[in-house]
């Protein structure tokens, strides 16, 4: 089992009150490269095969479906968003938290 699968097992031990959990895997994407979302799609297939979540959606910041669209499409209220970016930066520390409605701006505070 690879490190990503191990981490997903750790965060997926609870159950939602409404009976289901959605995982959203979000990559950067690019309209210039049709294969830019391939890694995110591979991860989504692997997680689906493990049955850790009731629903697994994938999207990209620069392609459709967007994070906002995915949040509207999610069948369950218990949603986990996992950014699949090469490194921490502007999108993971500012843009994605802002889109999720977090109150702070900038990097996620230690211990949050």
């Amino acid at each position: 089992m690879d490190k990503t699968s191990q981490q997903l097992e750790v965060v997926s031990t609870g159950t939602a009150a409404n009976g289901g959990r959605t995982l959203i895997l979000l990559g950067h994407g690019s309209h210039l490269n049709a294969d830019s979302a391939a890694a995110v799609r591979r991860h989504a297939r692997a997680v689906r095969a493990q049955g850790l979540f009731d629903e697994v959606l994938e999207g990209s910041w620069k392609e459709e479906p967007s994070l906002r669209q995915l949040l509207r499409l999610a069948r369950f209220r218990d949603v986990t968003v996992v950014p699949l970016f090469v490194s921490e930066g502007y999108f993971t520390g500012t843009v994605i938290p802002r889109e999720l409605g977090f109150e702070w701006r900038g990097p996620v505070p230690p211990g949050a």
Side-chain angles (χ1 to χ4, degrees):
M1 182 179 301
D2 64 15
K3 186 175 180 180
T4 301
S5 299
Q6 291 170 348
Q7 290 171 341
L8 288 173
E9 283 187 82
V10 170
V11 300
S12 65
T13 56
T15 57
N18 65 350
R21 293 173 302 134
T22 297
L23 173 67
I24 295 177
L25 299 177
L26 185 70
H28 187 278
S30 170
H31 62 279
L32 302 176
N33 180 346
D35 292 330
S36 66
V40 174
R41 287 191 300 268
R42 278 193 307 273
H43 282 293
R45 280 193 302 271
V47 174
R48 282 186 197 107
Q50 291 179 349
L52 300 173
F53 289 84
D54 300 291
E55 176 180 50
V56 179
L57 303 174
E58 73 263 6
S60 299
W61 185 254
K62 295 281 188 172
E63 298 176 44
E64 300 289 327
S66 68
L67 177 57
R68 286 183 186 179
Q69 291 168 324
L70 292 171
L71 290 169
R72 283 193 298 268
L73 291 171
R75 291 185 299 150
F76 305 104
R77 292 184 60 203
D78 184 350
V79 177
T80 300
V81 177
V82 177
L84 296 178
F85 285 63
V86 173
S87 65
E88 292 183 35
Y90 177 68
F91 284 102
T92 60
T94 302
V95 175
I96 295 170
R98 181 187 66 219
E99 290 299 308
L100 293 172
F102 295 151
E103 295 178 16
W104 68 84
R105 298 292 182 253
V108 176

